[in-house]
Amino acid sequence: MKKEELVEIFSDLHPEDTAGIMTGEVHLSDGTVMKTDSLRVDMDGGRIILSEEKSTMYETNKRNWIQELIFYKNKKRKSA
C-alpha cells in the first residue's frame, strides 16, 4: 500500500467508521495471529508499527501515537 492510498481511504470515511477502537492484527507464517491495541501510523517513515503487549515497546508505541495526534491537532489549529 502506498501512503497516497491510505490518505485517500481515510479522507472520506463513512461516519460509522470514524469512531471506536482500532486493533492491529499480524498473521505470521506459522499460523500465529497476534492482536494488539498498540499501533501507530508513522507517515514520515511510511510504517504502521504494531507492538505486542508483552514487548518492551508496547507502552512506548502507544504513547508515541498520542504524540502524533498532538502534533496533528496543533498543526490543524495553526492553519485555522
Side-chain angles (χ1 to χ4, degrees):
M1 173 175 262
K2 295 179 182 176
K3 292 180 188 182
E4 297 86 356
E5 295 166 331
L6 187 63
V7 170
E8 183 178 347
I9 289 168
F10 284 129
S11 68
D12 192 25
L13 289 174
H14 189 278
E16 68 185 27
D17 295 335
T18 62
I21 302 295
M22 287 288 295
T23 301
E25 292 187 5
V26 178
H27 298 258
L28 302 175
S29 62
D30 67 0
T32 302
V33 178
M34 183 201 78
K35 295 182 181 184
T36 183
D37 66 343
S38 178
L39 52 118
R40 176 168 60 103
V41 178
D42 173 19
M43 293 302 280
D44 291 345
R47 304 176 294 167
I48 297 176
I49 303 166
L50 299 106
S51 296
E52 184 180 28
E53 191 169 358
K54 299 173 202 166
S55 79
T56 58
M57 289 301 296
Y58 179 80
E59 290 297 332
T60 301
N61 196 46
K62 287 180 82 164
R63 280 192 307 272
N64 285 347
W65 179 243
I66 292 167
Q67 192 62 46
E68 297 277 350
L69 290 173
I70 291 168
F71 289 146
Y72 171 76
K73 289 177 182 180
N74 286 340
K75 180 183 171 200
K76 197 172 176 181
R77 280 190 208 128
K78 288 178 183 177
S79 66

